[in-house]
Amino acid sequence: MTEAYIYDAVRSPRGKGRSDGSLHEVTALELASQVLASVNERNELDGHEVEDVAFGCVSPVGEQGAVISRSAVLAAGYAETTSAIQVNRFCGSGLEAVNIAAAKVKSGETDLAIGGGIESMSRVPMGSDGAGGMADPKLAFQEYFVPQGISADLIASKYGYSRDDVDSYAVESQKRAATAWKENRFEKSILPIKDVIGEVILDHDELMRPDADMQSLGSLSPAFQMMGEAMPGFDDVAILKHPDLERVNHVHTAGNSSGIVDGSAAVLLGNKEAGEKHNLKPRARIVSMASIGSEPTIMLTGPEFAAKKALERAGMSNSDIDLWELNEAFASVVLRFMEAMNVDHSVMNVNGGAIAMGHPLGATGAMILGTVLDELERTNKQTALTTLCIGGGMGIATVIERV
């Protein structure tokens, strides 16, 4: 098959996902189209070269509905011949979109394609599109469905992560993100977002709390204890599926879970011939991709299995990976992954993650792939694996190598 190369990666800053957030005045369409337009500008393309665009969007309703990627393509000034698809694999949507674009290049269907994502969580709240699985009592009963926060606490309980463990991880995420911004490590990929009159309204990730410490995080109440301990509650459901546990220890709070934010990202991919034709310099190649399903009650352990599958397909082992990037949906998710995969924290999420900077659902996968590529170049390293946990019990992973 044809090799798929990454030629560029760009993202917006993450804006607080509420009415007082800096990006709240920007529609999802405008946010996505600014990012897409930037890809053309940065690479001196005129809008005709990109054949297809895949964008993740987890709540594709209202302003984000009607295949927002196609609307964004047109709003960004791309040719009418550029097609687009909207992708929803929950939190893995942005990386899934990149993998779809890469697969189109690898198969020979397209020469240049874009994968990315958009989520305006301040304007289209999480859950706006409903919850088919949990809303259907037959399926919910059959699969022991619980909310993701309960699943995160279930992981902590099952694998012995205390409140101090998850808070300590969160503090480190904040420190790393602050250092990354102070040292301009995101400079290559960040696109300042402008308002309707062309003024920059956000040029940095505004959710960060660099002054967070164990004392301030320790003062926060568990976010999922009430829903878990109601009689009967979701804790009882989780324990029915995992009877080895006597109780669920509720350790996750707003301080050690991913933040709600607005954001968009795009990754430009293509084959070697397209790069040469348009004077594009390849930055990395897609080595392997994998998506898996996993047990839906504990739900968030999928990255381990997706990563193993991606490594196996690439003929690689853990020792072949220089940097690891796992979306910080909840602190316990990363702690479990590092333990299961024997990955040292020194090479995991080295510039912080969603606990510090936020998780714009449909865009995050593409964002963190770009982040780890920038870090490979900054540190002169070669290989990275990007992975995300996914609601309903799934996982996704992508391995890249600098060229």
Side-chain angles (χ1 to χ4, degrees):
M1 297 183 74
T2 302
E3 292 283 8
Y5 295 98
I6 299 175
Y7 289 107
D8 198 11
V10 60
R11 75 169 176 93
S12 74
R14 298 168 173 103
K16 293 178 181 178
R18 24 180 231 253
S19 59
D20 62 348
S22 295
L23 296 181
H24 177 65
E25 67 181 87
V26 181
T27 66
L29 174 58
E30 177 63 22
L31 184 56
S33 64
Q34 285 194 36
V35 170
L36 283 175
S38 175
V39 174
N40 273 345
E41 295 165 7
R42 288 158 58 105
N43 296 282
E44 299 182 352
L45 303 173
D46 64 14
H48 290 78
E49 300 88 347
V50 174
E51 297 171 77
D52 207 355
V53 173
F55 251 39
C57 182
V58 175
S59 296
V61 297
E63 294 178 352
Q64 292 183 163
V67 189
I68 189 171
S69 50
R70 172 61 175 171
S71 302
V73 159
L74 297 175
Y78 283 59
E80 293 179 354
T81 52
T82 301
S83 58
I85 183 173
Q86 175 264 317
V87 181
N88 186 0
R89 198 191 284 276
F90 296 147
C91 298
S93 299
L95 189 58
E96 182 63 39
V98 172
N99 288 355
I100 287 173
K104 286 176 174 288
V105 173
K106 283 177 171 286
S107 69
E109 180 183 344
T110 61
D111 295 326
L112 277 180
I114 289 174
I118 173 66
E119 208 78 38
S120 179
M121 300 182 75
S122 70
R123 298 177 68 93
V124 184
M126 181 169 54
S128 296
D129 59 332
M134 291 190 67
D136 185 297
K138 181 178 179 181
L139 182 60
F141 178 80
Q142 172 186 317
E143 298 298 334
Y144 299 89
F145 274 137
V146 297
Q148 283 192 12
I150 301 297
S151 297
D153 285 338
L154 178 60
I155 291 172
S157 303
K158 194 174 184 71
Y159 297 104
Y161 308 133
S162 68
R163 174 66 182 269
D164 281 352
D165 292 332
V166 293
D167 281 352
S168 178
Y169 180 88
V171 169
E172 182 62 19
S173 179
Q174 295 284 353
K175 288 181 178 178
R176 292 183 179 193
T179 297
W181 270 105
K182 182 178 180 180
E183 297 181 356
N184 296 318
R185 296 184 188 179
F186 302 132
E187 185 177 27
K188 183 182 292 185
S189 299
I190 287 288
L191 171 70
I193 298 300
K194 299 178 180 179
D195 63 13
V196 293
I197 62 172
E199 295 293 327
V200 172
I201 56 175
L202 188 65
D203 61 3
H204 64 281
D205 295 321
E206 70 173 340
L207 189 73
M208 295 187 301
R209 295 158 298 201
D211 57 345
D213 56 24
M214 291 295 287
Q215 183 175 3
S216 63
L217 292 190
S219 67
L220 300 176
S221 299
F224 310 105
Q225 185 169 3
M226 185 175 296
M227 71 169 68
E229 294 181 351
M231 294 298 291
F234 287 114
D235 285 3
D236 300 304
V237 176
I239 291 170
L240 280 174
K241 183 67 176 180
H242 294 269
D244 54 308
L245 291 176
E246 293 184 1
R247 62 184 297 271
V248 175
N249 184 25
H250 293 284
V251 298
H252 286 94
T253 68
N256 53 44
S257 307
S258 56
I260 294 172
V261 293
D262 303 333
S264 185
V267 178
L268 177 65
L269 303 108
N271 57 32
K272 180 180 179 181
E273 292 73 21
E276 292 174 345
K277 179 180 179 180
H278 300 296
N279 298 313
L280 303 174
K281 181 180 179 181
R283 298 174 61 188
R285 71 181 182 96
I286 303 290
V287 178
S288 67
M289 307 172 287
S291 298
I292 60 93
S294 61
E295 193 265 282
T297 306
I298 204 163
M299 193 185 304
L300 306 175
T301 55
E304 168 193 348
F305 309 108
K308 288 178 178 177
K309 187 175 182 179
L311 289 171
E312 181 180 353
R313 284 185 168 172
M316 301 171 74
S317 65
N318 286 21
S319 61
D320 295 315
I321 301 298
D322 295 321
L323 294 174
W324 302 75
E325 197 77 21
L326 168 57
N327 182 40
E328 294 175 351
F330 301 92
S332 67
V333 172
V334 190
L335 293 176
R336 173 55 192 163
F337 182 86
M338 290 192 293
E339 181 180 10
M341 296 293 293
N342 192 28
V343 174
D344 192 83
H345 197 183
S346 64
V347 293
M348 167 65 72
N349 296 352
V350 297
N351 291 317
I355 289 173
M357 294 176 285
H359 175 23
L361 304 177
T364 303
M367 281 191 173
I368 64 176
L369 184 69
T371 294
V372 81
L373 174 55
D374 286 346
E375 185 65 14
L376 284 177
E377 293 173 340
R378 188 186 74 85
T379 57
N380 197 29
K381 295 180 179 178
Q382 292 300 118
T383 58
L385 186 148
T386 300
T387 182
L388 298 93
C389 61
I390 302 173
M394 292 184 283
I396 186 169
T398 302
V399 177
I400 65 172
E401 180 182 36
R402 283 181 62 206
V403 293

